[in-house]
Each structure stands twice: as C-alpha cells, then as structure tokens.
C-alpha cells in the first residue's frame, strides 16, 4: 500500500510538471505576476515540503510497524564469539550450546562451504520467532540467507529481529 501511495504522489507530480512544461513551450502569453512575485515563491517553497510530509508520515508508520514484534512463540539468543556462535533457547531452562563452523577439509560433498556447522539450531515452522543477537569480542553478522535475515552482533548491545519460517530446510 505504501508503494502505491508513493507512486500515486509521484505520478501526480510528473503529470503536473509535464503539463506546465507543455504549456510553457506552446503558450506565447506570459503572466508578469507568475515570473516575479512573492506569493508564487512561497507556494513553490511550501508545496514540496507538504508533499514530502505526505510521503514521510506513512513511511515512518510502516517502519515502526515492521520493527514491532507480536508475541513470538520462541525466543533464541545468539552470542557471537571469535570463531563460533553460542545459542540459548530462552523459553526452556538450561538449553544452550555452541555451534562451530565445519572446516573445509572435513566437509561432506553436498555440504555448504562456510555455512555448515556442527550443531544447528532447530526452529519451528509457521510461527513468529524472535532472535536476540549480541557479541562478546568484535562485531559479527548473524545471517541466514534463505530466510533473508541478517543482523549485526555488536559487543555490549542487544539487537533483535523476528522472522517467520514458511518452508522446511
């Protein structure tokens, strides 16, 4: 809906500008008040600001709604370390483990290089999942390419995102 809203505003601006340019090219008459006047300068200064507000307010509302997480089924905490990730399932008592990347020389023929790990996380399908991401030493990036999820893990900061898994894998 936001895309359609913004596109409608841009089409209206484009049509108005095209109409004005067409009239200026083929009209021999000029209005002296249109060329020099404080009123017209105020109008063409304020009008773009009003148009930008019509685009900005729905955009800010959409950004706020995208970041809000509605009652996730499960919360996973991912902690980035120098060469591995630690995971904690917050909904369960004492369920935490470390996940190390499998070296290339130990990788199976059908394994994914630099993506396969020894302990994978298991998450449910068709449910809201919240993930809290932080780091202990340096900035890391927690990524699941097939889900389109990428979030930075920064030491001393707790970032969160949510996602919905709709296909097994």
């Amino acid at each position: 809906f936001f895309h359609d809203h913004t596109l409608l505003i841009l089409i209206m601006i484009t049509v108005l500008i095209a109409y004005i340019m067409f009239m200026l090219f083929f009209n021999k008459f000029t209005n002296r008040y249109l060329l020099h006047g404080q009123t017209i300068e105020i109008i063409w200064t304020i009008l773009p600001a009003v148009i930008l507000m019509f685009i900005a307010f729905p955009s800010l509302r959409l950004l706020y709604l995208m970041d809000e997480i509605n009652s996730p089924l499960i919360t996973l905490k991912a902690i980035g370390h120098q060469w591995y990730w630690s995971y904690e399932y917050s909904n369960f008592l004492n369920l935490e483990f470390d996940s190390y990347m499998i070296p290339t020389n130990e990788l199976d023929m059908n394994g994914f290089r630099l993506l396969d790990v020894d302990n994978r996380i298991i998450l449910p399908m068709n449910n809201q999942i919240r993930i809290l991401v932080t780091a202990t030493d340096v900035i890391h990036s927690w990524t699941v390419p097939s889900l389109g999820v990428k979030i930075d893990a920064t030491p001393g900061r707790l970032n969160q995102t949510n996602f919905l898994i709709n296909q097994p894998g």
Side-chain angles (χ1 to χ4, degrees):
F1 291 123
F2 176 69
H3 176 267
D4 295 342
H5 171 75
T6 307
L7 193 62
L8 183 66
I9 292 174
L10 291 176
I11 287 173
M12 289 189 320
I13 291 171
T14 305
V15 167
L16 178 68
I17 297 299
Y19 173 75
I20 291 173
M21 287 178 61
F22 182 78
M23 285 301 162
L24 284 175
F25 287 145
F26 297 108
N27 192 358
K28 301 288 187 241
F29 304 110
T30 57
N31 186 348
R32 66 185 178 107
Y33 296 111
L34 189 63
L35 297 177
H36 299 286
Q38 191 171 9
T39 308
I40 192 68
E41 289 181 9
I42 290 172
I43 290 172
W44 71 46
T45 303
I46 292 177
L47 190 64
V50 171
I51 292 171
L52 285 175
M53 281 195 271
F54 274 107
I55 294 173
F57 287 139
S59 174
L60 291 174
R61 180 181 172 273
L62 187 63
L63 283 172
Y64 174 75
L65 290 176
M66 283 176 58
D67 198 36
E68 191 166 323
I69 299 173
N70 297 328
S71 63
L73 176 74
I74 193 167
T75 300
L76 177 70
K77 184 176 180 186
I79 304 167
H81 300 279
Q82 184 94 26
W83 296 105
Y84 64 97
W85 287 89
S86 296
Y87 294 102
E88 299 174 10
Y89 287 94
S90 301
N91 301 56
F92 307 103
L93 297 175
N94 292 331
L95 186 54
E96 54 187 58
F97 59 92
D98 294 333
S99 181
Y100 291 89
M101 189 170 47
I102 298 176
T104 307
N105 58 355
E106 297 175 14
L107 197 60
D108 294 336
M109 289 301 291
N110 57 356
F112 293 107
R113 183 177 168 266
L114 300 177
L115 287 177
D116 270 341
V117 293
D118 57 354
N119 292 322
R120 297 181 179 183
I121 56 173
I122 298 173
L123 297 170
M125 271 182 46
N126 296 325
N127 290 301
Q128 280 295 107
I129 299 165
R130 173 176 53 189
I131 182 159
L132 305 172
V133 181
T134 188
T136 57
D137 46 13
V138 295
I139 297 174
H140 298 278
S141 183
W142 192 87
T143 307
V144 180
S146 59
L147 288 176
V149 176
K150 183 172 186 149
I151 187 167
D152 290 331
T154 309
R157 181 183 172 123
L158 193 63
N159 291 332
Q160 79 172 357
T161 189
N162 65 339
F163 53 89
L164 182 82
I165 301 172
N166 57 8
Q167 292 180 353

